Amino acid sequence: MALLRASGEYTGDDYDLSAVLGDSGEDSGIPHADVLIRLAETAIAYDDAATGAAREAVIERMGEAALVDAAAIAANFNAIDRVADAIGIPLEEEKAAISADFREELGIDDFGRASLPAAAE
Amino acid sequence: MSSLNFEAAPLPVRDDIAEALPQVWARIGQPGTWLTARERVAVAAESRNARYCLLCAERKEALSPYAVQGEHDSLGELPDDKVELIHRMMTDPGRIAGHWYAALTGSGLPETEYVEIVGLVACTVGVDTFCRGIGMAPPDLPEPQDGAPSREAVGEANLNRDLAFAPTLDPFVDGPLQKEFFPGGPPSAAHIRRALSSVPDSQRQFWQMATVLYMNGMQMRDFSTEYRAITHAQIELVAGRVSAINQCVY
């Protein structure tokens, strides 16, 4: 999410970070967020029927290459999240510091394992 | 020969993905560092089976997964401790805790095998999620190949035991593995890049997949150029949503 905010700062866009927590994404300020979120949710749930509908929506609005890249990102984070949590990888102190405000505001610190520097101890 | 290829994919797949993922998939069926090929394929199979486990479903609903005891619905190919690791990683990774890691490794599961299994589960999840995402059936499991595990130990002097639950390669030690994995020196060794590094082959296999599915470190932070067919913001939106569902802070 820090990179999402940073990308918005670079382009001058004010993205609504709460979109990642379960909103439809329609008001996030990110183009086509609604169909991308739907694809991500259904693909990692292995819900093939729902993923099919989400896939068609992404292709219709954004094209096949966008669908492939969105599926790749969902796949990567569905894997890397598990690596981070199973190994017990903490956030770097500098990343923890720059994300502290939105983690608290959005309730991310309440996630199952607080992946903060002290958590590995 | 990999049981995964994208020639018959329902839509064109980027060349780097079409090249890397079949290699990663085939590697699962080869002898590993600490596990045999048969064990590695069994890990991939068990990771697919975990979502049908009733114990895991009950734990997922519980206030604490550690309060619910029972037996996993497993395929019966792996011992209980490995099944516990695989199922927990698959069904409730966000609530994995250090005491759970310590209990598993303290009661007989070697740290080295733990890390290799984590890498295998992650590669299976990555491949399966990508295939399903583009509308393609997940590939058949690879056929286990003959041969013995390499048992390539990195050596205690190369390990850092203070970063995470599991040991990781210490980027501050001057060694060939550090040069390979952290070419920019310690500053380039983001914590997540160290995660699987105590088992070098697992590190290589996972990052071969992750780099093509996501982006490399330079591309990730270069907001002046779009390297994919979706923008940086769209990439991080998808990444953030997936991580929120997985309850992963990192």
Side-chain angles (χ1 to χ4, degrees):
Chain A
M1 288 184 56
L3 285 172
L4 176 55
R5 180 163 68 176
S7 114
E9 288 170 353
Y10 182 84
T11 58
D13 294 307
D14 184 17
Y15 298 136
D16 178 3
L17 301 183
S18 68
V20 305
L21 294 182
D23 293 348
S24 70
E26 288 176 348
D27 300 323
S28 67
I30 301 169
H32 309 305
D34 55 337
V35 292
L36 290 169
I37 284 177
R38 188 85 186 111
L39 178 77
E41 291 174 341
T42 57
I44 72 167
Y46 291 178
D47 182 342
D48 292 340
T51 306
R55 191 165 48 242
E56 290 307 314
V58 172
I59 292 173
E60 185 179 322
R61 286 217 229 148
M62 305 173 70
E64 288 186 337
L67 182 276
V68 169
D69 285 345
I73 299 302
N76 184 63
F77 282 85
N78 205 24
I80 208 166
D81 290 347
R82 289 177 162 78
V83 171
D85 284 335
I87 300 295
I89 295 296
L91 265 179
E92 291 81 353
E93 287 185 6
E94 62 274 20
K95 290 179 186 171
I98 62 172
S99 62
D101 57 343
F102 67 74
R103 285 200 333 267
E104 181 179 4
E105 181 184 337
L106 299 177
I108 293 171
D109 286 340
D110 295 332
F111 282 3
R113 185 182 73 81
S115 182
L116 301 175
E121 295 172 3
Chain B
M1 182 69 179
S2 178
S3 55
L4 171 62
N5 75 71
F6 293 102
E7 288 172 11
L11 69 180
V13 171
R14 242 194 294 128
D15 288 348
D16 55 354
I17 293 177
E19 182 179 347
L21 264 55
Q23 292 175 10
V24 169
W25 194 248
R27 183 73 189 88
I28 291 175
Q30 297 166 358
T33 306
W34 302 102
L35 303 176
T36 66
R38 185 168 297 281
E39 288 172 317
R40 289 165 59 86
V41 173
V43 169
E46 194 62 60
S47 69
R48 285 179 169 178
N49 178 60
R51 66 194 182 111
Y52 304 109
C53 176
L54 294 178
L55 174 62
C56 289
E58 197 178 341
R59 284 179 169 174
K60 183 73 175 172
E61 294 302 314
L63 196 57
S64 167
Y66 303 101
V68 181
Q69 303 303 316
E71 286 189 17
H72 289 289
D73 297 311
S74 82
L75 298 172
E77 293 289 315
L78 293 166
D80 290 348
D81 52 2
K82 289 175 181 167
V83 171
E84 167 71 5
L85 164 56
I86 295 162
H87 281 223
R88 188 63 65 94
M89 254 190 93
M90 286 302 301
T91 62
D92 202 1
R95 294 197 289 179
I96 288 177
H99 65 78
W100 173 86
Y101 169 83
L104 267 186
T105 55
S107 59
L109 178 60
E111 295 172 328
T112 47
E113 294 186 23
Y114 181 101
V115 173
E116 185 165 337
I117 290 169
V118 169
L120 288 165
V121 171
C123 287
T124 305
V125 169
V127 166
D128 283 358
T129 307
F130 178 70
C131 288
R132 289 175 185 275
I134 64 167
M136 188 174 147
D140 291 340
L141 293 170
E143 278 296 316
Q145 305 297 301
D146 293 334
S150 69
R151 307 189 74 79
E152 176 196 4
V154 302
E156 189 63 32
N158 278 300
L159 294 178
N160 178 324
R161 292 188 172 277
D162 297 326
L163 178 70
F165 310 151
T168 56
L169 202 63
D170 186 345
F172 290 94
V173 174
D174 185 16
L177 288 171
Q178 285 84 349
K179 286 185 172 62
E180 177 186 350
F181 296 148
F182 319 124
S188 73
H191 290 178
I192 191 64
R193 298 290 304 206
R194 303 187 206 177
L196 298 169
S197 59
S198 67
V199 179
D201 194 58
S202 297
Q203 168 93 348
R204 295 182 190 104
Q205 185 182 0
F206 177 77
W207 287 102
Q208 182 181 13
M209 177 184 79
T211 303
V212 296
L213 290 179
Y214 185 40
M215 292 181 285
N216 65 38
M218 182 279 292
Q219 295 168 336
M220 200 170 67
R221 291 178 182 77
D222 177 12
F223 300 116
S224 67
T225 304
E226 298 298 353
Y227 296 90
R228 301 292 187 236
I230 57 178
T231 66
H232 273 81
Q234 290 167 330
I235 286 170
E236 298 308 330
L237 172 74
V238 171
R241 182 71 192 121
V242 170
S243 297
I245 291 170
N246 288 333
Q247 296 277 292
C248 180
V249 178
Y250 193 89

